[in-house]
Amino acid sequence: MTDLSLYRNIGIFAHVDAGKTTTTERILKLTGKIHKIGEVHDGAATTDFMEQEQERGITIQSAATTCFWKDHRFNIIDTPGHVDFTIEVYRSLKVLDGGIGVFCGSGGVEPQSETNWRYANESEVSRIIYINKLDRLGADFYRVVKQVEDVLGANPLVMTLPIGREDDFKGVVDLLTRKAWIWDESGDPLKYEIQDVPADMADDVEEWREKLIETAVEQDDDAMEQYLDGEEPDMDTIKNCIRKGTIDLAFFPTYCGSSFKNKGVQLVLDAVVDYLPNPTEVKPQPEVDLEGNETGNFATVDANNPLRALAFKIMDDRFGALTFVRIYSGKLEKGTTVLNTFTGKTERIGRIVEMHADSRQEINAAQAGDIVAVIGMKNVQTGHTLCDPKNPATLEPMVFPDPVISLAVAPKDKAGAEKMGIAIGKMVQEDPSFRVETDEDSGETILKGMGELHLDIKVDILKRTYGIDVEVGKPQVAYRETITQRIEDSYTHKKQSGGSGQYAKIDYIIEPGEPGSGFQFESTVTGGNVPREYWPAVEKGFENSMGQGVLAGFPCLDFKVNLTDGAFHAVDSSAIAFEIAAKAAYRQSIPKAGPQLIEPIMKIDVYTPEDHVGDVIGDLNRRRGMIKSQEAGVTGVRIKADAPLSEMFGYIGDLRTMTSGRGQFSMEFSHYMPCPKNVAEEVIKEVQERNKNK
């Protein structure tokens, strides 16, 4: 039996380029050198092992790896920072117990770190903060701490202070012990000396230390009383207070360093052991029934309870499909059978492996608190629950956002078509925010995703990993339609041909719903004019029709149907007749209800050097952008805006040209808004042209 108090399931998350992957690698180096667990040499330690990742220098998939520090077992997940892959961060946070938020010492709190922080708040994950890259030009630890307070509204509990800045960054002062850790210039993380605090920092250290202890003792009344009486509690008491506050999300212990120069990482590892929760200290996952309602039971972390595990990631590699699983309770053993509550089918557990980025180690069993991968599962997808067949339950599933951008792809030859089908099938399993449809009229394959980069990488994987030559169409925006006026109408469906006929009459009101409300249906029929058993058929008729809008065939959103009256025939009426009536009623009435094209609006976050602000704002205005705010930072200006997705294609190229390559931006879907008339006409015309040419 492993002692769960020695486990830490943690994720590392941050904005692009804040140094997550480098930090993960340094952690593996430090932990690998201390316990000889196989060779962690440079290549193997790198969690970016996809070609696309090495080439672009960004992390795309979250990679999982296991290592040990001071007898504690860390399961670490390195997550991507780029906005198109937030889904990876979201699903990783779902299965983690704690996290390390990495911020760049010069860039500070960047757009993506805000999104990730928001996800972590929603998932109630305890975090420690690590301010990295303090050796960089323009790095300023105290400024970033202030940003964490202002931009994230979080409470950073400063635990270490940097010694020197930029090129002179030498080490850190540990405030609790009042000791300075100074690394030598060789770049070896193990070559450091613990010295007294530099004289010129003594006052700062005392001031920040006092703040630290005052905040910590608020967690414990006895310690607080002792402190107010002028006596400092002992080190264990203070650490317990910090641990309690961290787990309750009252504050976030904040560290500093430079991963690249190997300075400061040890203290972060110690903090993971000292302050982040073990699996038993986190609120247990609620269990739900098959309809998604909470049952009031929880998957308590205990190896002796029935099995509850969540598949949170599927990855295809040269050994077959790997399903990453977080075990919440019970044991997972090789050769046993488990039930997938989503499909209702059982699966046999073949091989179980522990992952070390790209290499793996086979094990016979795993238990509550573990994160492992299972090889060769057939029908398991992200978000499915695996459980004990004799004692089934479902864990709260994950919710994934709808894609906002699509792209048509076609293989160049017949041989590619079959290969492409198989490859895309695998890719859809790996990434739940990536969807694929076949256009029935043209037979084209349509890829749908969260942004241009997201689809760009998918096409790249098709070409390189699977060797399929594809032709790529122009990116298409996921337009939608809605209505703007309330309309009362009536429709009668009559069909009389030998034998029994069909008859259904419905009177109804169609009116616009609140944005984001989807389709709503109610019936206020009284006196049995339309018998209750036909109501669902009417609802189904309208609901099945909303996939085809009347303007350009885009799905119709946010309207409400109220069935007010109607008539039926004792012999000729049937559910089918009422469904047909509703479908025809939709086609008859929606065109009269002021149909309108709506387009996805993206939340844009642009970062530009000061001298280009005018150009960038002018350009966003040309793209029908609404500027929300401008914030001057040390190295540039952040502009927040809302802009329609259709105007943002190829934006990164234009931004780089405008800012001589120094601008950055990220965008995520925000909401739908009505299109201006001229844009709507253009889109409708384009759709008609496309349909004509089919």
Side-chain angles (χ1 to χ4, degrees):
M1 273 307 276
T2 19
D3 179 357
L4 282 177
S5 65
L6 300 177
Y7 268 56
R8 298 288 181 277
N9 290 322
I10 56 170
I12 298 184
F13 55 91
H15 185 83
V16 179
D17 270 358
K20 300 175 297 300
T21 304
T22 310
T23 304
T24 309
E25 196 169 318
R26 295 309 183 258
I27 290 175
L28 292 178
K29 266 205 153 131
L30 281 168
T31 54
K33 282 190 173 158
I34 295 159
H35 294 260
K36 293 266 187 286
I37 311 179
E39 305 256 284
V40 179
H41 44 75
D42 281 10
T46 314
T47 46
D48 285 354
F49 46 82
M50 282 169 65
E51 270 179 40
Q52 288 82 359
E53 294 179 311
Q54 288 159 0
E55 192 168 289
R56 294 170 194 244
I58 57 173
T59 303
I60 295 169
Q61 296 186 327
S62 32
T65 182
T66 303
C67 57
F68 291 81
W69 179 256
K70 299 197 169 164
D71 298 332
H72 285 64
R73 173 189 173 126
F74 291 4
N75 291 319
I76 302 178
I77 294 186
D78 170 32
T79 63
H82 200 285
V83 67
D84 285 7
F85 309 107
T86 21
I87 182 87
E88 289 279 348
V89 180
Y90 169 74
R91 60 168 159 193
S92 303
L93 281 168
K94 180 108 178 118
V95 296
L96 295 170
D97 305 326
I100 303 175
V102 182
F103 295 100
C104 168
S106 63
V109 175
E110 294 168 291
Q112 199 48 42
S113 16
E114 276 185 67
T115 309
N116 292 343
W117 196 264
R118 196 174 68 233
Y119 279 154
N121 284 343
E122 285 167 14
S123 305
E124 298 185 1
V125 173
S126 313
R127 279 146 283 171
I128 47 187
I129 291 172
Y130 171 52
I131 297 174
N132 186 20
K133 299 198 176 182
L134 288 181
D135 56 320
R136 289 267 294 263
L137 203 65
D140 180 344
F141 174 73
Y142 301 99
R143 187 185 84 242
V144 182
V145 168
K146 180 113 187 59
Q147 276 189 331
V148 169
E149 290 174 356
D150 299 347
V151 180
L152 301 178
N155 185 3
L157 184 72
V158 175
M159 304 290 293
T160 62
L161 295 182
I163 303 171
R165 51 186 297 181
E166 295 179 359
D167 282 350
D168 304 328
F169 175 65
K170 286 200 270 308
V172 302
V173 173
D174 179 349
L175 292 176
L176 283 180
T177 57
R178 293 193 180 87
K179 287 290 179 217
W181 293 53
I182 311 272
W183 279 264
D184 72 10
E185 283 312 301
S186 69
D188 183 336
L190 299 176
K191 291 199 171 146
Y192 59 87
E193 286 178 14
I194 294 187
Q195 306 173 357
D196 289 330
V197 172
D200 60 347
M201 285 182 70
D203 294 350
D204 277 352
V205 168
E206 287 314 305
E207 181 193 331
W208 282 93
R209 190 171 187 276
E210 194 172 313
K211 248 194 223 176
L212 163 63
I213 299 204
E214 267 175 21
T215 310
V217 294
E218 284 172 7
Q219 297 295 319
D220 177 351
D221 294 347
D222 295 348
M224 180 94 160
E225 226 162 273
Q226 193 179 342
Y227 182 71
L228 291 175
D229 290 344
E231 185 188 336
E232 183 176 298
D234 61 63
M235 197 52 85
D236 283 347
T237 308
I238 295 174
K239 280 189 161 175
N240 286 339
C241 287
I242 299 174
R243 183 177 181 89
K244 181 175 180 301
T246 306
I247 292 174
D248 293 346
L249 306 185
F251 45 69
F252 304 95
T254 300
Y255 292 80
C256 59
S258 159
S259 298
F260 184 62
K261 297 277 169 67
N262 285 313
K263 296 173 183 170
V265 182
Q266 283 97 326
L267 290 101
V268 177
L269 291 176
D270 289 345
V272 169
V273 167
D274 290 342
Y275 309 125
L276 286 182
N278 69 49
T280 61
E281 291 172 302
V282 181
K283 274 209 317 226
Q285 283 278 332
E287 292 179 2
V288 295
D289 60 22
L290 296 176
E291 268 71 64
N293 307 315
E294 297 204 0
T295 55
N297 295 337
F298 290 91
T300 317
V301 177
D302 182 344
N304 300 318
N305 286 2
L307 173 71
R308 305 276 182 267
L310 187 71
F312 67 95
K313 180 172 171 52
I314 311 248
M315 211 169 91
D316 202 64
D317 73 355
R318 55 183 190 277
F319 303 105
L322 286 174
T323 306
F324 283 86
V325 177
R326 160 76 201 257
I327 304 170
Y328 285 102
S329 70
K331 290 190 196 65
L332 189 67
E333 288 168 356
K334 197 168 154 175
T336 54
T337 299
V338 297
L339 171 71
N340 175 346
T341 55
F342 186 84
T343 58
K345 297 195 169 107
T346 53
E347 297 239 3
R348 195 165 167 279
I349 300 293
R351 295 156 60 200
I352 305 175
V353 290
E354 257 173 26
M355 299 297 291
H356 298 268
D358 210 5
S359 61
R360 60 204 56 198
Q361 195 177 340
E362 285 218 21
I363 51 178
N364 289 325
Q367 58 170 23
D370 273 328
I371 291 181
V372 293
V374 181
I375 298 181
M377 298 199 98
K378 301 280 182 297
N379 298 316
V380 178
Q381 289 187 356
T382 302
H384 288 183
T385 301
L386 302 176
C387 66
D388 177 352
K390 295 191 199 66
N391 197 327
T394 301
L395 297 166
E396 193 179 38
M398 306 183 190
V399 185
F400 298 115
D402 283 329
V404 289
I405 174 173
S406 61
L407 200 59
V409 293
K412 289 204 171 137
D413 50 36
K414 265 277 188 285
E418 203 167 301
K419 272 169 72 180
M420 186 169 91
I422 295 169
I424 287 180
K426 287 182 176 172
M427 286 156 66
V428 171
Q429 275 196 319
E430 287 179 15
D431 179 355
S433 61
F434 173 58
R435 318 264 169 91
V436 176
E437 285 174 12
T438 305
D439 184 323
E440 286 162 16
D441 306 327
S442 67
E444 286 179 321
T445 303
I446 312 280
L447 311 183
K448 300 185 163 192
M450 304 310 292
E452 258 186 303
L453 179 70
H454 190 193
L455 292 182
D456 200 22
I457 300 250
K458 297 294 181 206
V459 171
D460 204 39
I461 293 175
L462 274 179
K463 286 183 177 164
R464 260 200 270 181
T465 313
Y466 296 105
I468 302 162
D469 233 359
V470 289
E471 283 173 3
V472 182
K474 221 175 77 187
Q476 299 292 335
V477 176
Y479 289 104
R480 294 287 179 262
E481 297 181 17
T482 188
I483 57 168
T484 54
Q485 292 154 22
R486 178 176 184 276
I487 175 165
E488 286 193 43
D489 213 342
S490 163
Y491 186 84
T492 308
H493 168 65
K494 261 207 288 244
K495 191 172 166 204
Q496 197 64 49
S497 58
S500 64
Q502 289 184 345
Y503 178 84
K505 174 175 188 289
I506 51 175
D507 297 348
Y508 51 91
I509 298 169
I510 296 183
E511 55 188 333
E514 288 291 305
S517 62
F519 167 71
Q520 292 164 310
F521 177 82
E522 64 175 347
S523 170
T524 51
V525 177
T526 49
N529 289 352
V530 177
R532 192 175 285 271
E533 68 256 34
Y534 298 142
W535 296 358
V538 176
E539 178 174 6
K540 190 174 157 200
F542 277 108
E543 198 167 2
N544 288 350
S545 303
M546 55 188 281
Q548 273 302 105
V550 295
L551 290 173
F554 294 109
C556 190
L557 304 182
D558 306 335
F559 66 96
K560 190 172 162 188
V561 174
N562 179 357
L563 180 62
T564 53
D565 203 359
F568 76 107
H569 185 283
V571 179
D572 290 349
S573 283
S574 63
I576 293 286
F578 274 97
E579 192 180 323
I580 294 172
K583 285 182 172 164
Y586 173 87
R587 289 195 296 275
Q588 166 183 299
S589 304
I590 294 283
K592 305 182 204 166
Q596 185 178 44
L597 208 60
I598 51 178
E599 59 183 348
I601 302 292
M602 308 300 277
K603 211 158 78 193
I604 316 269
D605 210 316
V606 187
Y607 184 81
T608 162
E610 228 152 87
D611 29 350
H612 301 293
V613 174
D615 299 343
V616 170
I617 288 186
D619 180 65
L620 282 171
N621 286 332
R622 272 199 300 284
R623 294 171 185 269
R624 301 192 281 125
M626 287 274 300
I627 309 293
K628 286 287 175 67
S629 69
Q630 267 171 269
E631 242 171 84
V634 177
T635 48
V637 178
R638 275 183 70 179
I639 301 163
K640 291 190 171 185
D642 284 351
L645 174 64
S646 58
E647 304 284 345
M648 296 303 292
F649 289 135
Y651 182 61
I652 186 69
D654 297 354
L655 179 66
R656 284 191 181 135
T657 315
M658 275 185 291
T659 59
S660 352
R662 302 204 323 239
Q664 280 186 340
F665 92 109
S666 71
M667 66 177 180
E668 56 182 317
F669 172 70
S670 170
H671 57 282
Y672 274 98
M673 279 281 284
C675 285
K677 202 163 173 232
N678 57 333
V679 176
E681 283 166 4
E682 194 64 25
V683 172
I684 293 169
K685 199 168 107 202
E686 220 174 89
V687 170
Q688 286 164 347
E689 289 289 305
R690 246 200 339 254
N691 293 343
K692 238 198 300 207
N693 297 334
K694 281 180 180 171

